[in-house]
Amino acid sequence: MLESAELYFNVDHGYLEGLVRGCKASLLTQQDYVNLVQCETLEDLKIHLQTTDYGNFLANETNPLTVSKIDTEMRKKLCREFEYFRNHSLDPLSTFFTYMTCSYMIDNVILLMNGALQKKSVKEILVKCHPLGRFTEMEAVNIAETPSDLFSAVLVETPLAPFFQDCMSENTLDELNIEILRNKLYKSYLEAFYKFCKNHGDVTAEIMCPILEFEADRRAFTITLNSFGTELSKGDRETLYPTCGKLYPEGLRLLAQAEDFEQMKMVADHYGVYKPLFEAVGDGSGGKSLEDVFYEHEVKMNVLAFSRQFHYGVFYAYTKLKEQEMRNIVWIAECISQRHRTKINSYIPIL
Amino acid sequence: MGSMFRSEEVALVQLFLPTAAAYPCVSQLGELGLVEFRDLNASVSAFQRRFVLDVRRCEELEKTFTFLQEEVRRAGLALPPPEGVLPAPPPRNLLRIQEETDRLAQELRDVRGNQQALRAQLHELQLHAAVLGQGHGPPVAATYTDGPSETSPLLQSLGDPHQDLRVNFVAGAVEPHKAAALERLLWRACRGFLIASFREAERPLEDPVTGEPATWMTFLISYWGEQIGQKIRKITDCFHCHVFPFPEQDDARRGVLQQLQQQSLELQEVLGETERFLSQVLGRVQRLLPPWQVQIRKMKAVYLALNQCSVSATHKCLIAEAWCATRDLPTLQQALQESSSEAGVSAVVHRIPCRDMPPTLIRTTRFTASFQGIVDAYGVGRYQEVNPAPYTIITFPFLFAVMFGDVGHGLLMFLFALAMVLAEDRPGVKMAQNEIWRTFFGGRYLLLLMGLFSIYTGFIYNECFSRATVIFPSGWSVAAMANQSGWSDTFLAEHPLLALDPNVTGVFLGPYPFGIDPVWSLAVNHLSFLNSFKMKMSVILGVTHMAFGVVLGVFNHVHFGQRHRLLLETLPELVFLLGLFGYLVFLVVYKWLRVSVAGAASAPSILIHFINMFLFSRSPTNRLLFPGQEVVQATLVVLALATVPVLLLGTPLFLRWQHRRRRRRHAGPQPVEDEDKTGLLDSPDAPAPGWGSDEEKAGCSGDQGEAKFVLSEVFMHQAIHTIEFCLGCISNTASYLRLWALSLAHAQLSEVLWAMVMRVGLRLGREMGAVAVVLVPVFAAFAVLTVAILLVMEGLSAFLHALRLHWVEFQNKFYSGTGYKLTPFTFTVEDE
């Protein structure tokens, strides 16, 4: 493939890339985190956030301030930025954005279906849905009884439709089936996204493929970890693993056979990337959880994405970094509001 | 005016504000705008400061204000600007304002909520009516036409035994952009079991929230079976449709429709009442809000300023540090005493010594402001540095005018500026928001002078809209020439060009009294004559301007007590500049005075002389201007070259010597003799008149003495300065030739415009016989082009070049512009 991205990239996407880099510069710095951690109340937190790029995004919130209000407002802000990017994007990039929203859409669909299963009202669940994954037919999800029903009635027009090819079945949707459906959807989503980036070539492929490979492997590990002690059979488990990661194919086969955390760790030891990650995991009492270690690695990869130019990965990386930042702020806010300050420092620093 | 020459003396003062009186004191200072507070709590983050609670309360209030303002704006009303002087309210009033605001906001919210609810109800009713209204005929008809094959057999043949299989209806309305998706989803989810008919409502309805009109889609779904019905209801729910009961009989529908209309009429009445009440509340908001907004903004500013103060050890008073002009100190003292008299303990001002460079304060009037603006745009002067602005008042318009010389154009510009100056106090002109207009308006006095000077140079160039004017009789006589050389008619017919020889007696009577002789405008060598004149003039102006800049440096050196620089920098610089380029100017003037018409053929060339001067050679064909010229030239070149090492090495070596001597003295047994130190310590108690300069001196030498004297850095700095000056002398002199180039361009452009537009028009008019008719459009074109190209475009370009000449060529000789402005704590912006 010709290295033509440098020549033409800025014509179509230069403005947005400049914008996203500017946005990235507005991420909270280490000093900001140090100040945030010192806050005594949520009001202090709000005042401090006002001095950052968040500005007075909480200005119109009525008292008392709660963590969920902060979270909602931050999400809205991210969503506004994302919508702006998306509305101004041209074709390959807009498809890329659509792929990015798909993961949130999957989460929302699953959330709604779980809600319907537990007989909760749709409105209650809608509040919890991620604004990036909103779509019109979303609320109609609960009319479906089986996955194929869901596909043919509700989701056939959404970008999620192509991911359904593997999960058409007439099983009723109970909790386990929903979870399987989520993982299958996610698997085909990741594979499709990976294929899209690979086909796009250029720097985008060079940046995005490692990130998505990691994402796939992380899912594989998480699925394995969560399936210990459930009725999911090993064969079924293997069908859920996304096949676009570094673990494919041998690692996944080994992982399918794993029966506890130690065996999983042995699988990871075969891979130079994952070995140090598993070694960093602390045991029960102190140290980091596997989740945190993965988050840290993800942050590192996303930050590195900004060191190259002329690719779409920056948009993905920015969104993920912003999400991480939001998780951090929510964590700190939770610690402050629950007066549980011992663990307040275990947020994931964004370098 | 004395303050124009250098920035005013500014002192660092400490204010002891008794806790009880701190607020009124600072509020009073804000009204006066005298002092700039220094942040004493820079290390403390925003939410740990003392008055953070008060600031937060102000912010809460502002939030409510924003809500009220938004409501007023939404109602399409404007807030009147507040009237009168509104001081920051005493803190106890905050509570009252807060209560009243909250009550007002609550009332407004209630009324608005009521109105909203009523509107929503009305909207619902109207939608219902629309659905039923359309349900009369078409949708029912549509069900028949759409699916007779399905409905008719089911109903007719199996009618009685299958009562539960009768057709049910769901009717409702949906937002237009969702209609298509809803229709598709309905079809997919329950295919074949329903018939849906969608159509647009007859007239658009106002959205209850945004108030925008939207044409809703009404739909009527007929279906079989209870299961499907539930599904349909779920789907319509998720699309936020409005679903209404749909009586199947026409009569019943008509009855409901009438009832609905009745209800909506009543509702509209209630709504009208609510809106009247709402407008009353809004009127109250309109009256009360603007003064409150100003007051609270002032209050917040006061608390933010107080947040910068530190607390004394005994917690009895707040300590603030502030910059204040020495001239304003008595006013400050008085203001503080007045505002703290209530509290019983008076606030105290006292001067403290300071090592930081004080901010620069230059008071301007409406006349000098624009000139100071030109200088400040380059860089705000160092504290007490020589301010180029007073000289700029004359040199800037003058250099501009040299490039823009034309009586007509200058007059237009002058009149435009004069109109602005005369109208400057009119509120309409002052309040104008247009950015371009404000730029021009801000520089009206500058424009006035530029116009005036252009008229003057226009007379010198003898050009008015590119035409020459004959004010005095010309110094040249064609008649004398014709008589002397006996030009016959045939000779005149054969020769289109005739030369006037000034050597013939009677032809050249003497120089024209003022400016260029109008006869030149008829000559073909007009341009080469003017070029020679303008080029020499540019060099003369440039060298004078630069030499003036170097001389201004003297005042800086004397003021800052760096007398060594007089000898080691200014003097060599002057010698270098004047020895080379001053001599060039001398040659020009000398040649103008001494070489007459008689010797014109063998006149010496200055250019060759000047080149030879550097080469130490002579050309035999070029006559000497004056005896001993070669000796003088050689001396000057040697002298100029000799100044370069002085300039390069003088200051660094002197500073090193000074540094060594001081160190030796420090090492010795008498440290008391350090005059700088004692001067510094004495100064706070008795602010002597020379305090500022002493302070500067102490700061300077102290910095160099104590903060490690690094020879290499001083050398580097001086080397850069030397190279910049010596090369700059040459390139800057050349740069002044832009005066010539721009004035030439201006003259030629206006000449072209005259020849191509006006002259063509005049000739055309004469040929066609109707002069007046042709001249109207021609003159219009001429006028528009004159204003657009010659006045605006050329004016901007000349302005730009004059600006460059001042910033680069003039100011780099003496002006460092590395200071920062005194930005006093003031409410004036808040008042606007």
Side-chain angles (χ1 to χ4, degrees), chain B residues 756-780:
Chain B
M756 303 299 262
V757 180
M758 241 2 220
R759 190 180 293 160
V760 169
L762 286 168
R763 191 177 301 144
L764 216 64
R766 203 170 48 212
E767 280 167 9
M768 288 161 57
V771 184
V773 180
V774 176
L775 272 187
V776 169
V778 167
F779 181 75

Short mmCIF file of all heavy atoms in Angstrom, two decimals, chain B residues 756-780:
data_model
loop_
_atom_site.label_atom_id
_atom_site.label_comp_id
_atom_site.label_asym_id
_atom_site.label_seq_id
_atom_site.Cartn_x
_atom_site.Cartn_y
_atom_site.Cartn_z
N MET B 756 -6.45 57.07 -16.17
CA MET B 756 -7.28 56.00 -16.73
C MET B 756 -8.77 56.24 -16.51
O MET B 756 -9.59 55.71 -17.25
CB MET B 756 -6.90 54.65 -16.11
CG MET B 756 -5.47 54.28 -16.29
SD MET B 756 -5.02 54.15 -18.00
CE MET B 756 -5.14 52.40 -18.22
N VAL B 757 -9.12 56.99 -15.48
CA VAL B 757 -10.55 57.15 -15.21
C VAL B 757 -11.01 58.57 -15.52
O VAL B 757 -11.80 58.80 -16.43
CB VAL B 757 -10.88 56.78 -13.75
CG1 VAL B 757 -12.36 56.97 -13.48
CG2 VAL B 757 -10.45 55.37 -13.46
N MET B 758 -10.44 59.53 -14.80
CA MET B 758 -10.96 60.89 -14.90
C MET B 758 -10.68 61.48 -16.28
O MET B 758 -11.56 62.05 -16.92
CB MET B 758 -10.29 61.73 -13.83
CG MET B 758 -11.17 62.37 -12.78
SD MET B 758 -12.89 62.09 -12.82
CE MET B 758 -13.46 63.72 -12.43
N ARG B 759 -9.42 61.33 -16.74
CA ARG B 759 -9.05 61.98 -18.00
C ARG B 759 -9.83 61.36 -19.17
O ARG B 759 -10.33 62.07 -20.04
CB ARG B 759 -7.55 61.85 -18.25
CG ARG B 759 -7.09 62.70 -19.40
CD ARG B 759 -5.61 62.56 -19.64
NE ARG B 759 -4.82 63.11 -18.55
CZ ARG B 759 -3.55 62.78 -18.33
NH1 ARG B 759 -2.95 61.90 -19.11
NH2 ARG B 759 -2.88 63.31 -17.33
N VAL B 760 -9.97 60.02 -19.11
CA VAL B 760 -10.75 59.35 -20.14
C VAL B 760 -12.18 59.86 -20.13
O VAL B 760 -12.77 60.16 -21.17
CB VAL B 760 -10.72 57.82 -19.91
CG1 VAL B 760 -11.73 57.13 -20.80
CG2 VAL B 760 -9.34 57.28 -20.18
N GLY B 761 -12.70 60.02 -18.94
CA GLY B 761 -14.07 60.49 -18.80
C GLY B 761 -14.23 61.89 -19.36
O GLY B 761 -15.18 62.19 -20.10
N LEU B 762 -13.27 62.76 -19.05
CA LEU B 762 -13.35 64.14 -19.53
C LEU B 762 -13.29 64.18 -21.05
O LEU B 762 -14.05 64.91 -21.70
CB LEU B 762 -12.21 64.96 -18.92
CG LEU B 762 -12.37 65.31 -17.44
CD1 LEU B 762 -11.09 65.86 -16.88
CD2 LEU B 762 -13.50 66.30 -17.25
N ARG B 763 -12.39 63.37 -21.61
CA ARG B 763 -12.25 63.40 -23.07
C ARG B 763 -13.51 62.86 -23.73
O ARG B 763 -14.03 63.42 -24.67
CB ARG B 763 -11.04 62.55 -23.46
CG ARG B 763 -10.66 62.72 -24.92
CD ARG B 763 -9.42 61.93 -25.24
NE ARG B 763 -8.27 62.33 -24.42
CZ ARG B 763 -7.34 61.49 -23.97
NH1 ARG B 763 -7.43 60.21 -24.24
NH2 ARG B 763 -6.32 61.93 -23.26
N LEU B 764 -14.03 61.76 -23.16
CA LEU B 764 -15.22 61.13 -23.69
C LEU B 764 -16.38 62.11 -23.68
O LEU B 764 -17.13 62.26 -24.65
CB LEU B 764 -15.57 59.91 -22.82
CG LEU B 764 -16.15 58.71 -23.55
CD1 LEU B 764 -15.11 58.16 -24.51
CD2 LEU B 764 -16.57 57.65 -22.53
N GLY B 765 -16.48 62.82 -22.54
CA GLY B 765 -17.56 63.78 -22.39
C GLY B 765 -17.47 64.86 -23.45
O GLY B 765 -18.47 65.28 -24.03
N ARG B 766 -16.24 65.30 -23.74
CA ARG B 766 -16.08 66.37 -24.71
C ARG B 766 -16.47 65.86 -26.10
O ARG B 766 -17.12 66.57 -26.86
CB ARG B 766 -14.64 66.85 -24.71
CG ARG B 766 -14.50 68.27 -25.25
CD ARG B 766 -13.11 68.79 -25.00
NE ARG B 766 -12.12 67.83 -25.42
CZ ARG B 766 -10.92 67.67 -24.82
NH1 ARG B 766 -10.62 68.40 -23.78
NH2 ARG B 766 -10.06 66.80 -25.25
N GLU B 767 -16.08 64.66 -26.40
CA GLU B 767 -16.39 64.13 -27.73
C GLU B 767 -17.89 63.93 -27.90
O GLU B 767 -18.45 64.24 -28.95
CB GLU B 767 -15.68 62.77 -27.94
CG GLU B 767 -14.22 62.94 -28.31
CD GLU B 767 -13.46 61.65 -28.21
OE1 GLU B 767 -14.09 60.60 -28.02
OE2 GLU B 767 -12.22 61.69 -28.31
N MET B 768 -18.54 63.41 -26.87
CA MET B 768 -19.95 63.13 -27.03
C MET B 768 -20.80 64.35 -26.75
O MET B 768 -22.00 64.35 -27.01
CB MET B 768 -20.36 62.00 -26.08
CG MET B 768 -19.82 60.66 -26.55
SD MET B 768 -19.79 59.42 -25.29
CE MET B 768 -21.49 59.39 -24.81
N GLY B 769 -20.20 65.37 -26.21
CA GLY B 769 -20.92 66.62 -26.05
C GLY B 769 -21.73 66.73 -24.78
O GLY B 769 -22.15 67.81 -24.42
N ALA B 770 -21.95 65.65 -24.11
CA ALA B 770 -22.75 65.73 -22.89
C ALA B 770 -21.85 65.46 -21.70
O ALA B 770 -21.84 64.36 -21.15
CB ALA B 770 -23.90 64.73 -22.95
N VAL B 771 -21.09 66.47 -21.34
CA VAL B 771 -20.07 66.29 -20.31
C VAL B 771 -20.68 65.82 -18.99
O VAL B 771 -20.23 64.86 -18.39
CB VAL B 771 -19.32 67.62 -20.08
CG1 VAL B 771 -18.21 67.42 -19.09
CG2 VAL B 771 -18.81 68.15 -21.39
N ALA B 772 -21.74 66.53 -18.58
CA ALA B 772 -22.29 66.27 -17.25
C ALA B 772 -22.77 64.83 -17.12
O ALA B 772 -22.52 64.17 -16.12
CB ALA B 772 -23.44 67.23 -16.99
N VAL B 773 -23.44 64.34 -18.18
CA VAL B 773 -24.02 63.00 -18.09
C VAL B 773 -22.93 61.94 -17.96
O VAL B 773 -23.04 61.03 -17.14
CB VAL B 773 -24.89 62.72 -19.34
CG1 VAL B 773 -25.51 61.34 -19.25
CG2 VAL B 773 -25.96 63.78 -19.47
N VAL B 774 -21.89 62.09 -18.73
CA VAL B 774 -20.82 61.09 -18.69
C VAL B 774 -20.05 61.19 -17.38
O VAL B 774 -19.64 60.20 -16.80
CB VAL B 774 -19.88 61.26 -19.89
CG1 VAL B 774 -18.72 60.28 -19.79
CG2 VAL B 774 -20.64 61.05 -21.17
N LEU B 775 -19.88 62.42 -16.93
CA LEU B 775 -19.01 62.61 -15.77
C LEU B 775 -19.59 62.03 -14.48
O LEU B 775 -18.85 61.70 -13.57
CB LEU B 775 -18.70 64.10 -15.58
CG LEU B 775 -17.50 64.59 -16.36
CD1 LEU B 775 -17.17 66.00 -15.99
CD2 LEU B 775 -16.30 63.69 -16.11
N VAL B 776 -20.91 61.89 -14.42
CA VAL B 776 -21.49 61.38 -13.18
C VAL B 776 -20.99 59.97 -12.86
O VAL B 776 -20.38 59.75 -11.80
CB VAL B 776 -23.03 61.44 -13.22
CG1 VAL B 776 -23.63 60.67 -12.05
CG2 VAL B 776 -23.48 62.88 -13.18
N PRO B 777 -21.17 59.00 -13.78
CA PRO B 777 -20.64 57.68 -13.44
C PRO B 777 -19.12 57.64 -13.36
O PRO B 777 -18.55 56.94 -12.51
CB PRO B 777 -21.14 56.79 -14.58
CG PRO B 777 -21.46 57.70 -15.69
CD PRO B 777 -21.88 59.00 -15.07
N VAL B 778 -18.47 58.43 -14.20
CA VAL B 778 -17.00 58.42 -14.19
C VAL B 778 -16.49 58.94 -12.86
O VAL B 778 -15.61 58.35 -12.24
CB VAL B 778 -16.45 59.26 -15.35
CG1 VAL B 778 -14.96 59.52 -15.16
CG2 VAL B 778 -16.69 58.57 -16.67
N PHE B 779 -17.11 60.04 -12.40
CA PHE B 779 -16.64 60.56 -11.14
C PHE B 779 -16.96 59.61 -9.99
O PHE B 779 -16.17 59.46 -9.06
CB PHE B 779 -17.24 61.94 -10.85
CG PHE B 779 -16.76 62.51 -9.56
CD1 PHE B 779 -15.47 63.03 -9.47
CD2 PHE B 779 -17.53 62.48 -8.41
CE1 PHE B 779 -14.98 63.52 -8.29
CE2 PHE B 779 -17.05 62.97 -7.21
CZ PHE B 779 -15.78 63.50 -7.16
N ALA B 780 -18.11 58.95 -10.10
CA ALA B 780 -18.45 57.98 -9.06
C ALA B 780 -17.38 56.90 -8.97
O ALA B 780 -16.91 56.56 -7.88
CB ALA B 780 -19.82 57.35 -9.35
#
